[in-house]
Amino acid sequence: MIAFTVTATSPPLVSTGGARFKVLAEMFPSFLPKQVENIRDPFARKLASRIERLPVHVSFSENCIMSSVVKPSILQSETSPVVLLHGFDSCCLEWKYTYPLLEETGLETWAVDILGWGFSDLERLPPCNVASKREHFYQLWKSYIKRPMILVGPSLGAAVAIDFAVNHPEAVENLVLIDACVYREGTGNLAKLPRIVAYIGVYLLKSIPLRLCVNVLAFNGITLSTSIDWTNVGRLHCLFPWWEDATVDFMISGGYNVSAQIDQVKQKTLIIWGEDDKIISNKLAVRLHCELPDAIIHQIPDCGHLPHVERPSSVARLILEFIRENCKVEAQSLSHH
């Protein structure tokens, strides 16, 4: 039996448990940018202290890629591993509030940085197009996770998840898509920009004013001090010297265009959506629900574009209920054979 006890409060109100979550600067992995020490949020600090790099061998690079992940503290075989992706130009620290809630229930929980973003070592820059991202994730899964997973993709991570599930169905048992960015036609006109213009755009992408503006759009009514701290968390990976090259490479490659793959998804899917998403309309949640062959949908009231940051307890509860329900159905079908 999986125990599940969390409070349904928004992250800034979650009790940090005092000294229990205090993480000293010297406990951060040495490869993280030193600005990690400026982050105040105890949950982000705790998760950052657990990031490690694992070697992943891929066909498109002579060297293995030291790839950043948060590994589960418990490896178990009773339920499928839960693997958390992140959105566009983000990292595993998106899961600072929801990751510990999932882990507390006993689920084997991984948070994986998509190639080109996050905290992997890309000093020898590999291609960062869709095919490379897919192969890198597949090789990481094959080397370390090794069992069919419940793959969770928020925002652009939902496109990553759909592309992966259609191309490697043996690796994915179920999907969870959160405020899914799956109807955009890749990076569109950005793919046609001269490289120098693309670099200017990407430089702006890591600017603090732009990221503060995105926070206003993405979240419902957070304080300025919280917004500044979340901005510091969200742009930490942008401080690596190769980040701009990797992001420009992705933009010019054309990006994800998965709308034609949606009806090819065979896995049962949970769709979670913030009702007040100002970035991707929740009308698209209904469209996605109609187009996926086997899906259920839950909308979260008073919630913006990133429910796993804004309403972590609700997201953790929905994922757990989805897993339990699938386990129950599986057990019933086995008993009937």
Side-chain angles (χ1 to χ4, degrees), residues 169-181:
E170 73 284 4
V172 182
E173 184 172 311
N174 297 115
L175 283 176
V176 179
L177 307 178
I178 302 175
D179 291 65
C181 178

Side-chain angles (χ1 to χ4, degrees), residues 17-309:
R20 189 162 63 95
F21 280 100
K22 190 169 174 62
V23 178
L24 300 174
E26 60 269 20
M27 289 177 66
F28 293 121
S30 60
F31 57 77
L32 289 185
K34 64 181 186 302
Q35 290 87 339
V36 67
E37 294 167 19
N38 301 333
I39 290 167
R40 298 196 325 273
D41 186 305
F43 291 88
R45 291 175 68 90
K46 176 81 172 174
L47 201 60
S49 74
R50 290 183 55 183
I51 297 170
E52 53 189 284
R53 283 173 169 173
L54 302 175
V56 174
H57 295 273
V58 291
S59 67
F60 52 83
S61 172
E62 286 179 17
N63 307 89
C64 69
I65 295 170
M66 296 304 295
S67 307
S68 47
V69 302
V70 177
K71 279 170 63 178
S73 53
I74 307 161
L75 292 170
Q76 55 100 340
S77 57
E78 286 171 28
T79 56
S80 300
V82 176
V83 179
L84 309 171
L85 300 174
H86 56 74
F88 171 73
D89 185 34
S90 185
C91 68
C92 57
L93 294 180
E94 246 185 55
W95 293 97
K96 53 190 177 281
Y97 302 128
T98 306
Y99 186 100
L101 296 181
L102 292 169
E103 197 168 64
E104 277 170 23
T105 68
L107 291 169
E108 180 184 316
T109 309
W110 298 72
V112 173
D113 282 335
I114 298 162
L115 181 72
W117 299 307
F119 304 103
S120 299
D121 181 1
L122 303 182
E123 206 158 328
R124 294 184 184 85
L125 190 74
C128 292
N129 56 33
V130 168
S132 302
K133 289 180 191 291
R134 184 195 309 129
E135 188 195 327
H136 171 262
F137 182 38
Y138 177 72
Q139 294 301 337
L140 189 151
W141 171 80
K142 193 175 163 188
S143 300
Y144 300 101
I145 302 168
K146 299 178 182 175
R147 291 183 293 129
M149 57 189 163
I150 290 122
L151 185 56
V152 184
S155 196
L156 187 74
V160 179
I162 286 174
D163 173 78
F164 190 83
V166 168
N167 282 282
H168 296 290
E170 73 284 4
V172 182
E173 184 172 311
N174 297 115
L175 283 176
V176 179
L177 307 178
I178 302 175
D179 291 65
C181 178
V182 292
Y183 289 111
R184 289 194 183 149
E185 293 186 8
T187 53
N189 290 330
L190 295 176
K192 299 170 188 163
L193 287 176
R195 196 166 273 267
I196 185 69
V197 179
Y199 271 96
I200 293 167
V202 166
Y203 181 78
L204 289 173
L205 194 58
K206 75 171 173 184
S207 71
I208 289 172
L210 181 71
R211 290 198 171 238
L212 283 170
C213 289
V214 169
N215 278 352
V216 170
L217 278 176
F219 301 108
N220 268 354
I222 59 170
T223 64
L224 180 61
S225 64
T226 298
S227 186
I228 289 168
D229 199 47
W230 286 5
T231 295
N232 288 335
V233 173
R235 69 189 290 272
L236 188 64
H237 68 286
C238 302
L239 304 176
F240 281 128
W242 55 84
W243 168 80
E244 284 165 6
D245 296 328
T247 305
V248 166
D249 191 71
F250 173 71
M251 280 169 54
I252 288 175
S253 76
Y256 282 89
N257 187 354
V258 300
S259 56
Q261 291 177 293
I262 291 169
D263 64 1
Q264 298 171 43
V265 172
K266 300 289 188 285
Q267 296 85 348
K268 185 170 184 179
T269 303
L270 167 65
I271 301 165
I272 299 173
W273 217 281
E275 277 186 6
D276 299 333
D277 189 339
K278 298 182 186 73
I279 293 175
I280 303 177
S281 164
N282 65 353
K283 288 176 183 166
L284 291 178
V286 178
R287 177 179 168 185
L288 183 60
H289 184 224
C290 292
E291 292 182 8
L292 279 166
D294 186 6
I296 56 173
I297 185 169
H298 285 278
Q299 301 216 32
I300 300 178
D302 302 316
C303 182
H305 182 59
L306 298 175
H308 53 300
V309 181

